[in-house]
Amino acid sequence: MDGKAIFLLRRKRTIRVAIVLLGVALTVILISLNTGTIRLSPTSVLKALIGYGTAEESMILYEYRLPRIIITMLAGVGLGIAGAVFQGVSRNTLADPGILGINAGAAFGLIAYISFFRSLDGPAALMIPLFTFAGGAVIALVIFLFAYDRYRGLLPIRLILVGIAVSAGVSAMTLLLSLRLDEDTYAFAARWLAGSVWSRDWVNVWGLFPWIVVLIPIIYYRSATLDLFTLGDETAASLGSAVTRSRLILLALAVALSCASVSMAGGIGFIGLAAPHIAKRLVGPQHRHFLPIAAMTGLVILVAADTIGRSLFQPNAVPAGVVVAAVGGPYFLYLLFTTK
């Protein structure tokens, strides 16, 4: 079978998997719209969506559930793509934004913002992605500087090890700052660190939306470069790729995407680890095929986790990050013992 036939076969498989995942995603979203403290039937949801619902149904749907669901959708997509990029540039299948310390940097940026400005609602919420991105970018820069070798460039294995060490130190500083917050602000910070999307509104949606729609197409455009990294730095360089420059650009894009996602969805881990693995098993290793599948997988995981957390554990909702960690922890151990 020649290369063109293999490409067409993989593309068809990708399309079939994408259709199945789209159906799963729509099902999960519909269930999420119907469940909560106040349950709405599918008929009530449909009427409210087309403008024929009661005032109470419309308020529940448009002011509470839709913003929350859209946030989880966007963040799931962003974390799935970011995890795929981190695994590609580091050539390490266990890499994700949390393990590399990027989520810890974003958390530090958020805590620094609310420690000094203490404004969390309304237009001020648009500043949160900027501060989380700044925190993640600074920590990423520190990690890159320690992982860089003047002769061999950015070393993937050192990137992982330095990321774990820096993440531990930054998490300690974040905890120290959070202990100085007042009661209400600390409650918000605690929910955010646990990965809760409770009380998100349309301002938060518009704060995250531009980052997703701008950064993901740029990353997908560079999917061929990610494929070259899997061949090794020497082979990628021999094929005309500026290895260090391309790695830094892709890492910067992934840092921005993951920081923007966790800024609105909270400190959620393991999606960036699991989604690329699942996608790669479904459609193969080529990034042009499995990046969209990783995005849809991340969407399904996070929306499902949030739905489970707020429906199965009533009246005390469990943050989506806790549900993801409960599943992601064992999955991480499985990967750790099965990855060569």
Side-chain angles (χ1 to χ4, degrees):
M1 186 179 294
D2 59 16
K4 184 177 180 180
I6 294 174
F7 171 78
L8 292 175
L9 184 64
R10 287 179 174 173
R11 188 172 67 176
K12 290 180 180 178
R13 180 176 177 83
T14 302
I15 293 172
R16 289 197 297 267
V17 172
I19 292 172
V20 172
L21 279 176
L22 180 61
V24 174
L26 291 175
T27 302
V28 172
I29 292 169
L30 181 61
I31 294 172
S32 186
L33 287 171
N34 293 337
T35 57
T37 305
I38 301 176
R39 295 185 177 274
L40 299 178
S41 66
T43 304
S44 299
V45 169
L46 181 60
K47 287 182 178 179
L49 286 174
I50 62 178
Y52 289 98
T54 65
E56 181 184 15
E57 292 169 346
S58 298
M59 182 184 68
I60 292 171
L61 191 65
Y62 285 101
E63 298 300 324
Y64 295 101
R65 291 191 185 165
L66 267 180
R68 180 172 184 161
I69 292 170
I70 294 175
I71 285 289
T72 55
M73 291 169 60
L74 294 175
V77 168
L79 291 171
I81 294 289
V85 174
F86 283 124
Q87 290 176 17
V89 298
S90 66
R91 297 200 304 274
N92 191 315
T93 55
L94 299 180
D96 87 327
I99 295 172
L100 287 176
I102 307 304
N103 285 3
F108 181 78
L110 176 95
I111 296 299
Y113 170 73
I114 61 179
S115 296
F116 293 103
F117 296 97
R118 301 181 184 275
S119 183
L120 306 172
D121 302 317
L126 297 176
M127 295 296 293
I128 294 178
L130 298 179
F131 274 78
T132 54
F133 170 68
V138 170
I139 298 306
L141 180 60
V142 172
I143 294 170
F144 296 165
L145 289 176
F146 280 106
Y148 186 82
D149 184 275
R150 60 181 299 183
Y151 300 107
R152 293 180 291 171
L154 197 63
L155 302 178
I157 185 61
R158 190 184 293 181
L159 190 71
I160 300 292
L161 296 175
V162 172
I164 293 172
V166 172
S167 176
V170 173
S171 296
M173 291 190 293
T174 301
L175 179 61
L176 180 63
L177 280 178
S178 65
L179 292 176
R180 299 184 178 185
L181 300 174
D182 60 72
E183 185 176 346
D184 292 337
T185 310
Y186 178 80
F188 170 84
R191 288 196 304 269
W192 186 91
L193 292 171
S196 173
V197 290
W198 179 77
S199 79
R200 299 298 190 268
D201 57 25
W202 290 105
V203 171
N204 303 108
V205 172
W206 292 115
L208 177 57
F209 184 75
W211 297 75
I212 300 297
V213 299
V214 171
L215 295 177
I216 288 180
I218 298 174
I219 291 173
Y220 186 78
Y221 177 75
R222 292 178 171 270
S223 57
T225 304
L226 287 169
D227 289 335
L228 290 178
F229 284 136
T230 61
L231 303 175
D233 289 359
E234 293 183 0
T235 304
S238 67
L239 293 173
S241 174
V243 175
T244 300
R245 178 176 175 272
S246 298
R247 180 171 277 133
L248 289 173
I249 291 174
L250 284 165
L251 282 172
L253 292 170
V255 167
L257 188 60
S258 61
C259 289
S261 299
V262 300
S263 70
M264 293 306 174
I268 294 175
F270 295 111
I271 289 180
L273 176 71
H277 277 273
I278 295 171
K280 198 175 295 184
R281 293 189 177 191
L282 290 174
V283 298
Q286 280 192 315
H287 285 80
R288 71 173 71 182
H289 297 306
F290 88 80
L291 278 177
I293 303 303
M296 297 182 68
T297 304
L299 183 154
V300 170
I301 292 174
L302 190 50
V303 175
D306 181 55
T307 304
I308 292 170
R310 64 184 172 86
S311 60
L312 295 186
F313 300 96
Q314 293 180 7
N316 297 317
V318 175
V322 175
V323 178
V324 172
V327 178
Y331 185 72
F332 176 78
L333 292 176
Y334 165 75
L335 291 176
L336 188 63
F337 287 112
T338 57
T339 301
K340 296 182 180 180

